[in-house]
């Protein structure tokens, strides 16, 4: 704050996001119609080419349904969209994104202001304190992160570790995906406090979840005559245990009941067990490992094929 130590904020700008935007605008110009995979990091590692050459993925960390709405609304007159496969998460249903905020929660991606500024998309400032936390966590890892790296059989990465990313024309970014870890071993080391996603995902979500942001997206898609498939991805047993411990399971039950009353197509794989003796299925509470992602994609691809 007193300017004695300068932090280069440009180092932390999300260049990947803007490359995806450019890639998308080049993609749809060469197509008479397209299909979209939208959502957060739970589907970010799915290469849309497995579904067909007309599929594009615009998925980003913490991307919520309101931001997917902003994206769709921005491009609604630019291209014809046939089908959207959109991941749903509890953080798509908070009573507010702007009120009662705590750090990065309710979850959102800070880049969507380019599709139109409003009270939600303007929540994007990366403070010096946040940057210092990033530097600290990457250069001075906590003990549990070191232990976690042992489970992954991978070294702890620092700011000096550079990973080359390959950008495809379908919005997909090739990057090393964390291998699955033994969540049981992690639980033995750290206990249930190692699993935080349930609390993060359900922040600001009431017992009767708010469908306002969902309805904005769904009504826009229907007005454009776009077929939307809402997807709930597999979650680990520890996510469900933590959700039950924190009484979040009531919210999920109510949410699913409310969604059933809507005129929508929803594919619920929350409790699908993707297990194999040759790999661990998750690299944290909610994110599938690379191997499990491949198995899950097979399920989705087959169901997509049968739905048309």
């Amino acid at each position: 704050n007193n300017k004695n130590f300068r932090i280069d904020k440009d180092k932390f700008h999300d260049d990947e996001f803007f490359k995806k935007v450019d890639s998308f605008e080049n993609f749809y110009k060469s197509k008479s119609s397209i299909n979209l995979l939208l959502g957060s990091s739970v589907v970010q590692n799915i290469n849309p080419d497995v579904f067909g050459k007309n599929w594009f993925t615009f998925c980003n960390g913490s991307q919520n349904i309101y931001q997917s709405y902003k994206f769709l609304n921005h491009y609604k007159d630019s291209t014809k969209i046939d089908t959207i496969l959109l991941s749903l998460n509890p953080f798509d249903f908070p009573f507010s994104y702007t009120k009662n905020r705590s750090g990065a929660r309710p979850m959102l991606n800070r880049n969507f202001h380019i599709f139109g500024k409003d009270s939600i998309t303007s929540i994007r400032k990366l403070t010096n304190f946040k940057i210092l936390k990033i530097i600290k966590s990457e250069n001075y890892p906590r003990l549990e992160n070191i232990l976690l790296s042992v489970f992954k059989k991978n070294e702890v990465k620092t700011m000096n570790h550079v990973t080359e990313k390959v950008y495809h024309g379908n919005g997909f970014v090739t990057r090393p995906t964390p291998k699955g870890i033994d969540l049981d071993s992690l639980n033995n080391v750290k206990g249930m406090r190692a699993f935080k996603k349930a609390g993060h995902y359900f922040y600001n979500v009431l017992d009767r979840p708010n469908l306002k942001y969902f309805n904005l997206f769904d009504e826009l898609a229907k007005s454009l005559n776009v077929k939307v498939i809402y997807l709930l991805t597999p979650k680990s047993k520890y996510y469900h245990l933590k959700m039950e411990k924190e009484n979040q399971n009531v919210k999920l039950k109510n949410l699913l009941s409310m969604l059933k009353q809507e005129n929508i197509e929803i594919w619920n794989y929350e409790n699908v067990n993707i297990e194999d003796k040759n790999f661990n299925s998750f690299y944290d509470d909610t994110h599938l490992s690379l191997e499990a992602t491949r198995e899950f994609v097979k399920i989705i691809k087959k169901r997509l094929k049968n739905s048309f």
Side-chain angles (χ1 to χ4, degrees):
N1 286 336
N2 64 17
K3 310 300 181 184
N4 287 335
F5 178 66
R6 182 179 180 275
I7 297 174
D8 183 8
K9 291 188 179 182
D10 290 337
K11 182 186 295 184
F12 299 91
H13 286 173
D14 192 352
D15 186 51
E16 177 181 309
F17 183 91
F18 298 102
K19 285 186 177 181
K20 284 184 182 180
V21 173
D22 291 339
S23 179
F24 177 64
E25 293 182 352
N26 289 326
F27 179 85
Y28 72 71
K29 289 177 182 177
S30 63
K31 303 282 192 302
S32 58
S33 65
I34 64 170
N35 305 303
L36 288 171
L37 175 63
L38 297 178
S40 68
S41 56
V42 294
V43 290
Q44 194 172 10
N45 292 322
I46 296 177
N47 187 336
D49 272 354
V50 298
F51 304 136
K53 294 298 182 182
N54 283 349
W55 282 84
F56 188 96
T57 179
F58 200 86
C59 304
N60 301 275
S62 301
Q63 180 176 323
N64 60 50
I65 197 169
Y66 178 73
Q67 294 173 320
S68 292
Y69 159 78
K70 294 291 288 189
F71 173 83
L72 180 61
N73 190 56
H74 184 79
Y75 289 109
K76 64 184 179 182
D77 298 321
S78 300
T79 182
K80 183 181 186 303
I81 302 169
D82 292 324
T83 303
I84 294 176
L85 183 63
L86 184 142
S87 70
L88 283 182
N89 296 288
F91 57 78
D92 295 321
F93 304 92
F95 72 82
S96 174
Y97 284 109
T98 60
K99 298 177 182 177
N100 193 42
R101 291 196 61 80
S102 176
R105 300 184 297 273
M107 297 176 72
L108 49 76
N109 186 287
R110 63 188 180 88
N111 296 299
F112 279 77
H113 58 93
I114 68 169
F115 301 126
K117 289 187 178 181
D118 56 40
S119 61
I120 296 175
T121 60
S122 296
I123 304 173
R124 64 185 184 91
K125 186 177 181 182
L126 193 62
T127 63
N128 285 352
F129 179 70
K130 178 64 175 177
I131 294 174
L132 284 171
K133 287 181 67 177
I134 294 172
I135 295 173
K136 176 179 177 294
S137 66
E138 293 191 341
N139 287 281
Y140 305 96
R142 297 170 63 180
L143 177 60
E144 58 264 26
N145 291 338
I146 296 174
L147 292 171
L148 190 61
S149 71
V150 174
F151 296 137
K152 293 181 181 181
K153 296 181 181 179
N154 193 11
E155 65 180 6
V156 177
K157 293 180 175 60
T158 68
M159 290 293 291
N160 295 323
H161 180 89
V162 178
T163 301
E164 182 179 359
K165 296 179 181 179
V166 180
Y167 298 85
H168 299 261
N170 57 7
F172 182 66
V173 180
T174 301
R175 60 166 71 80
T177 303
K179 290 187 175 181
I181 65 173
D182 185 345
L183 296 185
D184 292 331
S185 296
L186 179 60
N187 181 54
N188 291 337
V189 171
K190 195 176 178 183
M192 287 298 289
R193 68 181 183 277
F195 308 104
K196 302 177 180 180
K197 298 296 185 184
H200 291 179
Y201 282 21
F202 281 93
Y203 186 83
N204 263 12
V205 179
L206 304 175
D207 284 348
R208 185 172 177 82
N210 178 21
L211 297 187
K212 173 183 177 180
Y213 306 108
F214 170 84
N215 287 332
L216 280 173
F217 180 89
D218 191 63
E219 289 170 5
L220 175 59
K222 286 175 178 172
S223 72
L224 299 173
N225 199 29
V226 177
K227 176 183 175 68
V228 181
I229 299 167
Y230 296 101
L231 179 68
L232 276 68
T233 58
K235 306 296 190 297
S236 74
K237 68 178 180 181
Y238 289 102
Y239 173 83
H240 289 285
L241 286 171
K242 193 65 174 285
M243 188 169 57
E244 185 174 355
K245 183 178 181 180
E246 297 181 353
N247 295 319
Q248 309 288 14
N249 54 331
V250 174
K251 298 176 183 178
L252 180 60
K253 182 179 179 180
N254 289 343
L255 173 60
L256 293 175
S257 177
M258 294 165 66
L259 290 176
K260 281 183 179 180
Q261 299 176 29
E262 302 291 321
N263 180 28
I264 63 171
E265 185 169 356
I266 184 166
W267 294 359
N268 185 359
Y269 291 97
E270 277 262 337
N271 295 293
V272 167
N273 186 19
I274 300 178
E275 296 288 348
D276 190 288
K277 64 181 180 180
N278 297 317
F279 62 80
N280 293 308
S281 297
F282 294 88
Y283 64 84
D284 64 13
D285 324 15
T286 59
H287 292 83
L288 292 170
S289 65
L290 178 61
E291 297 88 350
T293 296
R294 289 170 178 162
E295 295 303 310
F296 181 53
V297 165
K298 292 177 183 177
I299 298 172
I300 299 303
K301 181 179 179 181
K302 182 178 180 180
R303 191 166 177 180
L304 272 174
K305 185 178 180 180
N306 294 333
S307 67
F308 292 100

